[in-house]
Amino acid sequence: MSSSKKSRIVKFKTSDDKTFEVEEAVAVQFETIKSMIDYVCANDCTIPLPNVNAKTLAMVVEWCKKHADERDQLMEVDVDEAPGAVLYDLLVAATYLRVEDLIHRVSQRVSKMVIEIGKLPEEEDVRKTINIKSDFPPQVEEELRKLRRTLGPLSDVLVLFVSSGLLE
Amino acid sequence: MMMMANELPEDLVTLILLWLPVVSLLRFKCVCKSWYALITHQNFVRKHLLHNKNSNTHLLLHTFNKAMDDYVVYMISYEELQISLTQPLPPPFFGNGDTFCISVVGSCNGLVCLHEKRLHNTVKVVVWNPTTKETKVVPKSNLPLFAPAEYCTHIQSMGFGFDAKTNDYKIINFVSMYEPIWDYFSEDINEKICQKEVYSLSTDSWKKVDGPQCFIFEEVPMTYITGMGSWLAYVDYVSQRDLFVLSFDISDEVFLKTPLPDNVIGQDLLVLNESNAVVAPRTVDEEWPEVCYDIWLLLKVGVKDSWTRLFTIEQSFAKIHRPLGFWKNDTMLFSNVDEGQLVLYDPSTKQMTNLQSHGDCESMQLVTYMETLVSVEGGNEFEDQDNC
């Protein structure tokens, strides 16, 4: 291992069992492991990342390599065109490693998708798309359906539910 | 797309939902119990407010619409100055037509306080969130109960604002009490009792606060700048009238007086660059009835020497009824006399732009507004102390 601080390498092991060598300049941007870099390098340890796969880590590293002012340009392509599943992995990785700028960027991108989902006419379609099952009592579900048919947008009827105690 | 939201930890869900506009969030409340709980939680409401503070500014124009024969509010996007939405007032008022006079007391964090008057009597005060459509009728003040027997009471002016220290919204009432034998219009301070009281949304009750004896110009709405409400006020003496800006610290509940610059007769009080600005007419030439308007900026509340004369608007446009507010680069929004239209005036180029809103110049009021989830049921206690 080199004694020069600049060329130190931090080793990671991803969830799919691949070993990654990351330059220190990049690794310090991972807030979660920043404080353990000295120890890890001195003892030649490998940091396990149980919920980040190799493909995702490569994207995170790529993001961190670019200077802050170039990031938006780079990620405009990578993040904006990535499908939901990739974004999900990226968001989990970014939060686990605590790369704040990346969290910001990805969550904003995901929110744009979520806004579109929110425009679906049926509640059930919304739930299917985000893979959530309704846990409202059946009578609430039935009321929601009925009221929406007669009153239009659901947001207006929610007040009724709260006051009727159905959601408690 | 598979988002696997059920596997996403709650803090990640929060991160994503913080970016959503209020209308989307209202929709997502219906998805499941945990999302309902998250979106309605006081902490999320507060985080969402702070997260969107700089990207979510609108102007809200309140006016009487003759075609609809009722009061309406126009939402105007701050950046483009385009009307994005026209909506009637909420159910407690809807359909009351022109029998009553409804004015906007103030707008703060997405809540709008409305005041309904008939002649000089207050009929109703309502707190309204135009985006979630929630409303709350504020209970009647109890000060009149303590007025001396036979006295009339009258709410001169009101204010509305946010107390960041206790996460609470407050309404201020300026009440005057007088014996019926005195003329209502009497401006002798010795003939009237002036009292102030404060309403807290979280406790849903009024309490009396002490403050200086003075009158508030009823037709001049309050200004609200981060935790401080201000009004144009006066006290009449035998030979002169003392004019000043009366400010009220919403958190500490104390009043501050700032006298106007000498010989300046303020006509309107507006917000400019997060400070109070007074619009004061001045005669250009004694032989000519034309006036111009001086814009004075108060840099520090309570300090008379901090008034600065910013610029003067010449009276080259006689059809201007009343200044309503400032926009970017010191441009001003006026109501015009003919059509009850909102007009943008640029003092540097002297250009006027008509913004195509249909109202009535007497009732027009303009406040800044943002879409939030803030509940009209009042700020709950803080559950944690993080301030993000």
Side-chain angles (χ1 to χ4, degrees):
Chain A
M1 178 169 297
S2 166
S3 59
S4 160
K5 236 193 156 187
K6 276 183 185 165
S7 59
R8 286 202 295 185
I9 294 290
V10 184
K11 281 189 267 181
F12 293 97
K13 193 182 219 176
T14 57
S15 59
D16 44 353
D17 249 351
K18 297 207 169 94
T19 307
F20 250 79
E21 298 199 340
V22 176
E23 288 164 43
E24 186 183 0
V26 169
V28 290
Q29 296 178 52
F30 304 166
E31 287 296 322
T32 314
I33 58 126
K34 198 176 173 183
S35 59
M36 52 175 107
I37 290 179
D38 280 341
Y39 177 86
V40 167
C41 290
N43 296 286
D44 198 22
C45 301
T46 302
I47 301 173
L49 297 175
N51 50 3
V52 182
N53 63 29
K55 193 180 151 213
T56 311
L57 185 59
M59 285 182 85
V60 177
V61 168
E62 187 67 15
W63 162 275
C64 291
K65 268 186 188 164
K66 310 285 169 181
H67 292 293
D69 52 308
E70 291 170 16
R71 276 178 186 166
D72 269 356
Q73 240 178 336
L74 164 86
M75 295 310 278
E76 212 62 59
V77 184
D78 287 4
V79 174
D80 286 359
E81 288 177 3
V86 174
L87 288 178
Y88 171 78
D89 287 345
L90 206 50
L91 191 55
V92 172
T95 355
Y96 184 68
L97 296 167
R98 279 174 52 211
V99 186
E100 291 298 333
D101 290 355
L102 187 57
I103 296 173
H104 187 87
R105 189 80 179 83
V106 179
S107 61
Q108 185 181 19
R109 173 66 196 129
V110 174
S111 74
K112 284 184 188 156
M113 293 181 165
V114 176
I115 291 173
E116 289 308 309
I117 298 168
K119 291 177 184 163
L120 292 170
E122 295 288 331
E123 252 51 56
E124 214 37 57
D125 294 339
V126 174
R127 295 195 187 106
K128 268 186 201 139
T129 319
I130 50 179
N131 200 13
I132 279 187
K133 284 204 172 63
S134 168
D135 49 3
F136 289 127
Q139 75 264 36
V140 173
E141 277 295 312
E142 189 50 40
E143 282 294 304
L144 280 172
R145 261 194 296 275
K146 250 193 268 167
L147 281 166
R148 190 165 32 123
R149 239 173 274 134
T150 48
L151 293 179
L154 268 181
S155 51
D156 298 348
V157 306
L158 263 222
V159 183
L160 290 172
F161 280 111
V162 181
S163 52
S164 68
L166 276 173
L167 283 181
E168 302 308 322
Chain B
M1 176 180 109
M2 289 304 285
M3 281 270 305
M4 292 170 283
N6 52 344
E7 295 166 25
L8 220 52
E10 188 173 296
D11 54 344
L12 286 195
V13 175
T14 307
L15 273 177
I16 297 163
L17 295 186
L18 281 179
W19 292 94
L20 301 196
V22 175
V23 280
S24 300
L25 292 170
L26 295 175
R27 186 79 208 278
F28 284 115
K29 282 206 294 194
C30 307
V31 163
C32 63
K33 275 185 185 170
S34 63
W35 282 35
Y36 178 85
L38 173 71
I39 293 167
T40 50
H41 197 284
Q42 191 67 17
N43 284 345
F44 181 80
V45 171
R46 197 160 40 97
K47 277 183 188 165
H48 184 261
L49 174 95
L50 296 172
H51 190 264
N52 296 289
K53 204 149 202 169
N54 300 320
S55 59
N56 175 14
T57 313
H58 296 76
L59 295 171
L60 186 142
L61 178 72
H62 163 88
T63 184
F64 188 81
N65 185 305
K66 284 175 186 140
M68 292 169 77
D69 193 32
D70 213 335
Y71 286 93
V72 290
V73 293
Y74 295 99
M75 297 293 172
I76 301 168
S77 61
Y78 191 83
E79 292 301 317
E80 299 89 22
L81 283 187
Q82 297 213 330
I83 296 171
S84 56
L85 188 72
T86 306
Q87 69 181 106
L89 291 187
F93 296 119
F94 190 65
N96 281 344
D98 55 359
T99 342
F100 300 99
C101 167
I102 300 169
S103 61
V104 174
V105 175
S107 158
C108 176
N109 293 352
L111 297 184
V112 178
C113 180
L114 300 166
H115 181 197
E116 182 179 18
K117 276 206 280 194
R118 180 180 242 167
L119 296 173
H120 298 296
N121 297 316
T122 292
V123 179
K124 208 178 283 163
V125 177
V126 169
V127 179
W128 177 39
N129 181 327
T131 309
T132 64
K133 301 192 168 29
E134 281 185 298
T135 52
K136 181 195 174 75
V137 178
V138 174
K140 286 214 182 328
S141 143
N142 40 29
L143 269 186
L145 301 175
F146 300 100
E150 312 274 298
Y151 267 52
C152 300
T153 53
H154 158 64
I155 296 178
Q156 269 204 318
S157 188
M158 294 179 71
F160 178 66
F162 178 59
D163 175 358
K165 284 188 185 164
T166 57
N167 194 29
D168 195 4
Y169 294 85
K170 292 178 179 174
I171 297 171
I172 306 100
N173 264 358
F174 292 88
V175 184
S176 68
M177 301 172 181
Y178 52 94
E179 284 184 79
I181 51 161
W182 297 110
D183 182 4
Y184 159 78
F185 293 101
S186 161
E187 280 169 347
D188 186 342
I189 197 95
N190 298 317
E191 294 168 4
K192 290 189 179 183
I193 305 170
C194 296
Q195 292 192 325
K196 291 123 199 113
E197 58 175 352
V198 171
Y199 167 81
S200 141
L201 204 56
S202 65
T203 62
D204 194 26
S205 62
W206 290 95
K207 71 169 184 202
K208 200 173 160 243
V209 289
D210 292 327
Q213 288 287 305
C214 61
F215 293 120
I216 309 284
F217 285 100
E218 288 187 34
E219 68 281 10
V220 182
M222 72 162 323
T223 60
Y224 177 75
I225 302 160
T226 51
M228 183 86 87
S230 297
W231 297 259
L232 210 51
Y234 63 97
V235 177
D236 279 338
Y237 296 102
V238 180
S239 57
Q240 93 211 62
R241 167 175 280 193
D242 271 3
L243 279 165
F244 54 92
V245 171
L246 181 67
S247 303
F248 181 67
D249 185 316
I250 312 270
S251 290
D252 296 340
E253 300 187 352
V254 288
F255 287 92
L256 263 168
K257 277 166 86 166
T258 318
L260 291 198
D262 295 334
N263 304 319
V264 168
I265 315 288
Q267 176 194 296
D268 273 294
L269 186 64
L270 301 169
V271 179
L272 172 60
N273 301 333
E274 291 295 292
S275 297
N276 279 301
V278 158
V279 182
R282 175 165 56 89
T283 322
V284 184
D285 185 335
E286 282 181 16
E287 318 234 316
W288 194 246
E290 193 165 278
V291 291
C292 60
Y293 294 95
D294 286 333
I295 311 298
W296 290 83
L297 194 70
L298 177 60
L299 297 175
K300 193 163 181 357
V301 170
V303 182
K304 188 185 173 185
D305 288 344
S306 74
W307 285 106
T308 313
R309 194 168 82 186
L310 279 191
F311 52 89
T312 300
I313 298 169
E314 282 145 45
Q315 163 65 298
S316 48
F317 40 93
K319 286 182 173 174
I320 291 309
H321 180 256
R322 176 164 205 178
L324 294 173
F326 289 94
W327 192 58
K328 295 176 187 174
N329 306 322
D330 301 339
T331 52
M332 258 184 128
L333 291 154
F334 286 93
S335 57
N336 86 350
V337 175
D338 287 350
E339 309 281 332
Q341 301 267 19
L342 185 63
V343 175
L344 180 71
Y345 176 72
D346 186 339
S348 59
T349 61
K350 298 197 166 62
Q351 281 219 323
M352 287 207 280
T353 320
N354 194 324
L355 299 172
Q356 307 299 326
S357 64
H358 300 279
D360 140 64
C361 60
E362 293 296 334
S363 66
M364 268 196 180
Q365 268 184 284
L366 196 68
V367 287
T368 53
Y369 171 74
M370 61 189 286
E371 294 179 351
T372 70
L373 289 163
V374 172
S375 165
V376 297
E377 292 306 322
N380 297 342
E381 296 298 314
F382 287 138
E383 302 248 333
D384 62 8
Q385 288 301 314
D386 79 335
N387 259 332
C388 73

